[in-house]
Amino acid sequence: GLTREFDEEGRPEWERHFINGKEEGTTKQFYPASGALFREYKYKNGKQTGFVREYFENGRHKGTYEAVDGVLKAVDFEFSSSP
């Protein structure tokens, strides 16, 4: 099922899905100060797979990584949060 984790101030930190005790589907990590989306991860049978998408705090896409054998490899990456 869906699990949400919050900091002491009630801001979201993580949103994860579990099936039979293993992470499954999209996991989201949030910026601590604002609660804005920081990263999205994909899991299958408890293992990170596919692409990880990272965002600037303003919501603009920052970068994409590919999970290969447990190692993240950059696919594309932006260095500025401005369009």
Side-chain angles (χ1 to χ4, degrees), residues 19-68:
I19 295 177
N20 296 323
K22 295 181 180 180
E23 275 190 83
E24 186 72 30
T26 302
T27 290
K28 296 179 181 179
Q29 182 181 9
F30 301 92
Y31 279 97
S34 67
L37 182 61
F38 174 52
R39 284 189 181 144
E40 291 179 300
Y41 307 82
K42 299 285 184 189
Y43 282 85
K44 185 167 183 145
N45 294 321
K47 295 187 180 190
Q48 193 173 356
T49 185
F51 295 97
V52 175
R53 288 175 175 45
E54 189 170 309
Y55 301 90
F56 288 104
E57 203 160 359
N58 66 5
R60 189 171 188 281
H61 179 259
K62 184 176 186 179
T64 301
Y65 306 88
E66 185 175 10
V68 178

